[in-house]
Amino acid sequence: MDWVNGIVQGVLVGGLFALFATGLSLIFGVMRIVNIAHGDMIIACAYLAFTIIQLSGLHPLVSLLIVIPIASLVGYLLQTAILNRTLGKDILPPLLVTFGLSIIVQNGLLEVYSADSRRLAAGPIETGSFPLARGIDIGYLPLLTFLTAVVVVAGLQFVFYRTEIGRSFRAVSDDPETSQLMGLDNRKVYGLAMALCLAVVAIAGVFLATRSNFDPFMGPSRLIFGFEAVIIGGLGNLWGTLVGGVILGVAQAIGAQIDPGWQLLAGHIAFLVILAIRPEGLFPRGAR
Amino acid sequence: MSDVLLEIRDLDAFYGDAQALFLLSLALKRGEMLALIGANGAGKSTLLKSIAGLVANKRGEIKFQGRSIVRRHAFEIVAEGIALVPEGRKLFTSLSVEENLRLGGKVRRSGNWSLDAIYELFPVLKDKRNVPATLLSGGQQQMVAIGRALMSNPELLLIDELSLGLAPLVIKDIYDLLPKIVQNGLSAILVEQDVTRALRVASRFMCILEGRVSLEGKPADFSRDQVTAAYFGT
Ligand SMILES: Nc1ncnc2c1ncn2[C@@H]1O[C@H](COP(=O)(O)OP(=O)(O)OP(=O)(O)O)[C@@H](O)[C@H]1O
Ligand SMILES: [Mg+2]
């Protein structure tokens, strides 16, 4: 039963990984760049929520009502003021600039918040759970995280494939020259994509921070989890990213069952195995 | 208002250091259809792209409806009323036929063209509306590309290589529809490999040779040999 329980918990954790991953996938999908600072943005949002909660006493989930708009606005400004200048035929500039941004964010957080690890207190849902079967308890917070990931993926899917802005995202991604002939200002479209990404990042940050401790240097490993989930699921496929997150979560859970020290390693091994067998991921775009 | 819709004066256009157009001038009246001809690499696409704003590196003046657009971005120029059907159609691969058309209408200029009007012009597209645009036949893709441009309700339509890669029967179908496409006084510049056909439909033509105007006027005023000489530079 331990095993089954471990796997069930792994599935739920996978929701969190999917939240790390969808923003990354979105940005790669629209502008073909990998945002190295993605994980640090998640942590920065956790700290933003921390400050807002300190000032207002709001519940972490309620604080999202403030964190999301601020994060989105910052995302839009970051994209239009800085990242747009790095886009071009060469893939190196955006990597270097977001790498630099990653370091700046980490050290900025260290300066403002110190290296102490923090946590957002979510009250009763944090520890509450209900029994699913004998030996399997489902925590309210992990379940809520997973359901949120499903809703986020479904929402992004809707935006991408059913709305005008989603059409613009896809058009700019397909052909950034011809898209301008449709009246699209690519720089603004990229800005909106980053704003949307940061909305998801804010959600990811707050859920992460209610589930575990966080400190200024946790970003890069969240980037890795997100990146692995994206690659496992197949680039450009949002539901695939959710499955990728779940596979990663389950692999880590299985690893942890064997030996607690194996948790992270098992996740990376699962990633490498899938990368070796199916380099394009399990559900690449086009096989939609 | 004068009846000159588009006026180009002494236009130079560059790709990096390479100059593709040299002191090119052109005036286009409202409702006029100009055929733009010239050998491969002459600069026809460059001229259309310069007008549409896709070639940024240029000198000289381009005025549309009396306003200078030479420094404007492509996404602003389409809102002014210039639509380009690019060489090779350039449909969006991840968009369906209808999504391509809707995107063309994104600038929301008012006019007679709408999804329904496009489907009436090209009925085959209606059945394929939900199909990814790039799965269509070449002729149907060209219809989507034309429809997408018309959806912006332009005053000036730029068509680059209308018949390129299409079967003769399909070409004939599309040319038969051309009068309907340019109805209501729409002006057009048509780039075409098939010189004979282009000169037949156009009220005026311009031939470019290595980035410079080599001949210009009414098709009826020149012999076949004169056009050929201007075309090949012999
Ligand atoms: N993107 C580009 N970068 C550099 N040079 C270019 C580019 N596009 C075109 N050129 C050059 O500019 C010149 C004019 O090209 P253009 O495409 O305008 O010719 P064209 O008349 O449209 O030819 P075709 O009939 O083959 O379409 C050519 O010498 C071409 O090599
Ligand atoms: Mg050309």
Short mmCIF file of all heavy atoms in Angstrom, two decimals, chain A residues 111-139:
data_model
loop_
_atom_site.label_atom_id
_atom_site.label_comp_id
_atom_site.label_asym_id
_atom_site.label_seq_id
_atom_site.Cartn_x
_atom_site.Cartn_y
_atom_site.Cartn_z
N GLU A 111 19.19 39.81 -0.87
CA GLU A 111 19.42 41.12 -0.26
C GLU A 111 18.20 41.58 0.54
O GLU A 111 18.31 42.04 1.67
CB GLU A 111 19.72 42.12 -1.40
CG GLU A 111 20.41 43.38 -0.99
CD GLU A 111 21.76 43.11 -0.35
OE1 GLU A 111 22.50 42.20 -0.82
OE2 GLU A 111 22.05 43.78 0.64
N VAL A 112 17.04 41.42 -0.05
CA VAL A 112 15.82 41.94 0.58
C VAL A 112 15.31 41.02 1.68
O VAL A 112 14.88 41.47 2.74
CB VAL A 112 14.72 42.15 -0.49
CG1 VAL A 112 13.42 42.61 0.17
CG2 VAL A 112 15.19 43.15 -1.53
N TYR A 113 15.34 39.71 1.43
CA TYR A 113 14.66 38.78 2.33
C TYR A 113 15.61 37.91 3.16
O TYR A 113 15.14 37.09 3.96
CB TYR A 113 13.74 37.85 1.54
CG TYR A 113 12.56 38.56 0.91
CD1 TYR A 113 12.58 38.93 -0.43
CD2 TYR A 113 11.42 38.87 1.66
CE1 TYR A 113 11.51 39.57 -1.02
CE2 TYR A 113 10.34 39.51 1.09
CZ TYR A 113 10.39 39.85 -0.25
OH TYR A 113 9.31 40.49 -0.82
N SER A 114 16.92 38.02 2.95
CA SER A 114 17.92 37.16 3.61
C SER A 114 17.81 35.72 3.13
O SER A 114 16.89 35.37 2.41
CB SER A 114 17.78 37.21 5.14
OG SER A 114 16.80 36.28 5.58
N ALA A 115 18.73 34.89 3.58
CA ALA A 115 18.77 33.51 3.10
C ALA A 115 17.85 32.60 3.91
O ALA A 115 17.74 31.41 3.61
CB ALA A 115 20.20 32.99 3.13
N ASP A 116 17.19 33.14 4.93
CA ASP A 116 16.28 32.30 5.73
C ASP A 116 15.22 31.68 4.85
O ASP A 116 14.71 32.32 3.94
CB ASP A 116 15.56 33.15 6.80
CG ASP A 116 16.54 33.76 7.77
OD1 ASP A 116 17.72 33.34 7.74
OD2 ASP A 116 16.14 34.66 8.52
N SER A 117 14.89 30.42 5.16
CA SER A 117 13.82 29.85 4.37
C SER A 117 12.48 30.24 4.98
O SER A 117 12.35 30.43 6.19
CB SER A 117 13.98 28.35 4.23
OG SER A 117 13.87 27.73 5.47
N ARG A 118 11.51 30.42 4.10
CA ARG A 118 10.19 30.90 4.51
C ARG A 118 9.13 29.90 4.08
O ARG A 118 9.39 28.99 3.30
CB ARG A 118 9.85 32.23 3.82
CG ARG A 118 10.95 33.22 3.82
CD ARG A 118 10.91 34.06 5.05
NE ARG A 118 11.95 35.09 4.97
CZ ARG A 118 12.15 35.99 5.92
NH1 ARG A 118 11.41 35.98 7.00
NH2 ARG A 118 13.11 36.88 5.79
N ARG A 119 7.94 30.17 4.53
CA ARG A 119 6.82 29.35 4.10
C ARG A 119 5.56 30.19 4.20
O ARG A 119 5.48 31.07 5.05
CB ARG A 119 6.72 28.14 5.00
CG ARG A 119 5.73 27.13 4.51
CD ARG A 119 5.83 25.86 5.29
NE ARG A 119 4.91 24.90 4.75
CZ ARG A 119 5.15 23.63 4.65
NH1 ARG A 119 6.31 23.14 5.07
NH2 ARG A 119 4.26 22.80 4.16
N LEU A 120 4.62 29.95 3.32
CA LEU A 120 3.34 30.65 3.43
C LEU A 120 2.37 29.75 4.20
O LEU A 120 2.18 28.59 3.82
CB LEU A 120 2.77 30.96 2.05
CG LEU A 120 3.64 31.80 1.11
CD1 LEU A 120 2.87 32.10 -0.17
CD2 LEU A 120 4.08 33.10 1.78
N ALA A 121 1.81 30.26 5.27
CA ALA A 121 0.89 29.45 6.07
C ALA A 121 -0.49 29.48 5.43
O ALA A 121 -1.08 30.53 5.23
CB ALA A 121 0.83 30.01 7.49
N ALA A 122 -0.99 28.28 5.09
CA ALA A 122 -2.27 28.21 4.41
C ALA A 122 -3.39 27.75 5.32
O ALA A 122 -4.50 27.48 4.86
CB ALA A 122 -2.16 27.31 3.19
N GLY A 123 -3.10 27.61 6.61
CA GLY A 123 -4.15 27.24 7.55
C GLY A 123 -4.53 25.77 7.46
O GLY A 123 -3.70 24.94 7.09
N PRO A 124 -5.78 25.43 7.80
CA PRO A 124 -6.19 24.03 7.93
C PRO A 124 -5.98 23.18 6.67
O PRO A 124 -5.65 22.01 6.77
CB PRO A 124 -7.69 24.12 8.26
CG PRO A 124 -7.92 25.53 8.70
CD PRO A 124 -6.85 26.38 8.10
N ILE A 125 -6.14 23.78 5.46
CA ILE A 125 -6.03 22.94 4.26
C ILE A 125 -4.62 22.40 4.09
O ILE A 125 -4.38 21.45 3.36
CB ILE A 125 -6.44 23.69 2.96
CG1 ILE A 125 -5.55 24.90 2.71
CG2 ILE A 125 -7.89 24.08 2.99
CD1 ILE A 125 -5.63 25.38 1.27
N GLU A 126 -3.68 23.03 4.79
CA GLU A 126 -2.29 22.62 4.67
C GLU A 126 -2.07 21.19 5.16
O GLU A 126 -1.36 20.41 4.55
CB GLU A 126 -1.45 23.58 5.52
CG GLU A 126 -0.11 23.93 4.95
CD GLU A 126 0.57 24.94 5.85
OE1 GLU A 126 0.15 26.12 5.85
OE2 GLU A 126 1.50 24.54 6.55
N THR A 127 -2.71 20.88 6.29
CA THR A 127 -2.49 19.56 6.89
C THR A 127 -3.69 18.66 6.72
O THR A 127 -3.58 17.45 6.87
CB THR A 127 -2.21 19.71 8.40
OG1 THR A 127 -3.19 20.59 8.95
CG2 THR A 127 -0.82 20.29 8.62
N GLY A 128 -4.84 19.22 6.38
CA GLY A 128 -6.06 18.43 6.28
C GLY A 128 -5.99 17.43 5.14
O GLY A 128 -5.32 17.64 4.14
N SER A 129 -6.69 16.29 5.35
CA SER A 129 -6.72 15.29 4.28
C SER A 129 -7.96 14.43 4.45
O SER A 129 -8.64 14.49 5.47
CB SER A 129 -5.47 14.42 4.35
OG SER A 129 -5.47 13.67 5.54
N PHE A 130 -8.25 13.68 3.42
CA PHE A 130 -9.35 12.71 3.55
C PHE A 130 -8.86 11.38 3.00
O PHE A 130 -7.99 11.34 2.12
CB PHE A 130 -10.59 13.21 2.79
CG PHE A 130 -10.41 13.31 1.31
CD1 PHE A 130 -10.71 12.25 0.47
CD2 PHE A 130 -9.92 14.49 0.75
CE1 PHE A 130 -10.54 12.35 -0.89
CE2 PHE A 130 -9.73 14.60 -0.63
CZ PHE A 130 -10.04 13.52 -1.45
N PRO A 131 -9.39 10.28 3.55
CA PRO A 131 -8.93 8.97 3.10
C PRO A 131 -9.57 8.59 1.78
O PRO A 131 -10.78 8.71 1.62
CB PRO A 131 -9.38 8.04 4.23
CG PRO A 131 -10.53 8.73 4.87
CD PRO A 131 -10.38 10.19 4.64
N LEU A 132 -8.75 8.18 0.84
CA LEU A 132 -9.28 7.74 -0.46
C LEU A 132 -9.53 6.23 -0.40
O LEU A 132 -10.53 5.73 -0.89
CB LEU A 132 -8.28 8.05 -1.57
CG LEU A 132 -8.74 7.75 -3.00
CD1 LEU A 132 -9.83 8.71 -3.42
CD2 LEU A 132 -7.56 7.84 -3.96
N ALA A 133 -8.58 5.53 0.21
CA ALA A 133 -8.72 4.09 0.44
C ALA A 133 -7.87 3.81 1.66
O ALA A 133 -7.24 4.72 2.20
CB ALA A 133 -8.20 3.30 -0.75
N ARG A 134 -7.84 2.57 2.09
CA ARG A 134 -7.04 2.27 3.26
C ARG A 134 -5.57 2.54 2.95
O ARG A 134 -5.03 2.08 1.96
CB ARG A 134 -7.23 0.79 3.66
CG ARG A 134 -6.81 0.50 5.08
CD ARG A 134 -7.65 -0.65 5.71
NE ARG A 134 -8.05 -1.66 4.72
CZ ARG A 134 -7.25 -2.70 4.36
NH1 ARG A 134 -6.08 -2.86 4.90
NH2 ARG A 134 -7.67 -3.58 3.47
N GLY A 135 -4.96 3.36 3.77
CA GLY A 135 -3.55 3.66 3.57
C GLY A 135 -3.27 4.76 2.57
O GLY A 135 -2.13 5.13 2.34
N ILE A 136 -4.32 5.28 1.95
CA ILE A 136 -4.10 6.38 1.01
C ILE A 136 -4.89 7.59 1.45
O ILE A 136 -6.12 7.61 1.37
CB ILE A 136 -4.51 5.99 -0.43
CG1 ILE A 136 -3.78 4.73 -0.86
CG2 ILE A 136 -4.22 7.14 -1.39
CD1 ILE A 136 -4.19 4.24 -2.22
N ASP A 137 -4.18 8.60 1.92
CA ASP A 137 -4.84 9.83 2.32
C ASP A 137 -4.51 10.92 1.31
O ASP A 137 -3.36 11.09 0.93
CB ASP A 137 -4.36 10.27 3.71
CG ASP A 137 -4.98 9.42 4.80
OD1 ASP A 137 -6.16 9.04 4.64
OD2 ASP A 137 -4.28 9.12 5.78
N ILE A 138 -5.56 11.60 0.92
CA ILE A 138 -5.35 12.69 -0.04
C ILE A 138 -5.37 14.01 0.72
O ILE A 138 -6.38 14.36 1.34
CB ILE A 138 -6.46 12.72 -1.11
CG1 ILE A 138 -6.54 11.38 -1.85
CG2 ILE A 138 -6.26 13.88 -2.07
CD1 ILE A 138 -5.45 11.15 -2.84
N GLY A 139 -4.26 14.75 0.65
CA GLY A 139 -4.21 16.04 1.32
C GLY A 139 -5.00 17.07 0.52
O GLY A 139 -5.00 17.04 -0.71
#
